[in-house]
Amino acid sequence: MPFVHVIIAGTRLDPEAKRRIQQETTTFMNTIMRKRREVTAVLLEEVGLDGWTVGGEPLSVAAHVEANVTLGTNTPDEKERFIKAMDTLLKENLGDLSVATYVIVREVQAEAWGYDGVTQEYRRVAALPA
């Protein structure tokens, strides 16, 4: 049940490009991070560039990604591959990006989040054999 927030600044994507980024991000969460596609949420947000600097200097285009997943459900290799895949996807769609384009995999404790009114910890315990 991951939630991925993709923030882009300095360019306006056409609807096809937005959809492509959302679809590819969902696919990466499914194929690399082993998350269920049907509960993977991707928010692509376009913001103004005037508030974004790197090293105190303005940019022409910028991006940032935060993917929230349940703590302990992914290996270091999976997280590394996801970060690389997202970096490539952003560069393919946005062009030249700052080296300080961050992709973060944020791990959240299972009892601290959930969906459909139930925590991930509840789901884990309910799935254990009786």
Side-chain angles (χ1 to χ4, degrees), residues 3-7 25 41-45 47 64-68:
F3 179 81
V4 185
H5 189 187
V6 180
I7 303 169
T25 300
V42 177
L43 170 61
L44 192 152
E45 183 177 12
V47 300
H64 178 81
V65 177
E66 288 192 30
N68 293 279

Side-chain angles (χ1 to χ4, degrees), residues 58-117:
L59 304 169
S60 59
V61 65
H64 178 81
V65 177
E66 288 192 30
N68 293 279
V69 299
T70 303
L71 178 66
T73 60
N74 291 102
T75 67
D77 179 64
E78 289 167 338
K79 291 180 272 190
E80 183 178 331
R81 289 184 351 205
F82 173 77
I83 290 167
K84 177 65 175 167
M86 285 303 302
D87 184 71
T88 299
L89 177 65
L90 292 171
K91 287 176 179 171
E92 287 173 352
N93 285 275
L94 302 174
D96 190 30
L97 289 170
S98 166
V99 68
T101 299
Y102 298 107
V103 177
I104 300 169
V105 177
R106 188 174 312 281
E107 295 184 288
V108 182
Q109 291 185 0
E111 67 274 7
W113 80 324
Y115 65 95
D116 200 26

Side-chain angles (χ1 to χ4, degrees), residues 7-73:
I7 303 169
I8 295 173
T11 188
R12 287 285 177 216
L13 298 172
D14 63 53
E16 183 179 312
K18 284 182 184 180
R19 185 80 174 132
R20 184 173 50 253
I21 292 171
Q22 290 172 314
Q23 285 294 324
E24 285 295 313
T25 300
T26 301
T27 296
F28 296 156
M29 292 306 292
N30 180 247
T31 60
I32 298 171
M33 301 289 280
R34 298 178 290 109
K35 305 304 178 198
R36 290 176 37 218
R37 185 177 196 86
E38 66 272 15
V39 291
T40 297
V42 177
L43 170 61
L44 192 152
E45 183 177 12
E46 294 175 302
V47 300
L49 193 58
D50 58 336
W52 203 318
T53 64
V54 171
E57 298 298 321
L59 304 169
S60 59
V61 65
H64 178 81
V65 177
E66 288 192 30
N68 293 279
V69 299
T70 303
L71 178 66
T73 60

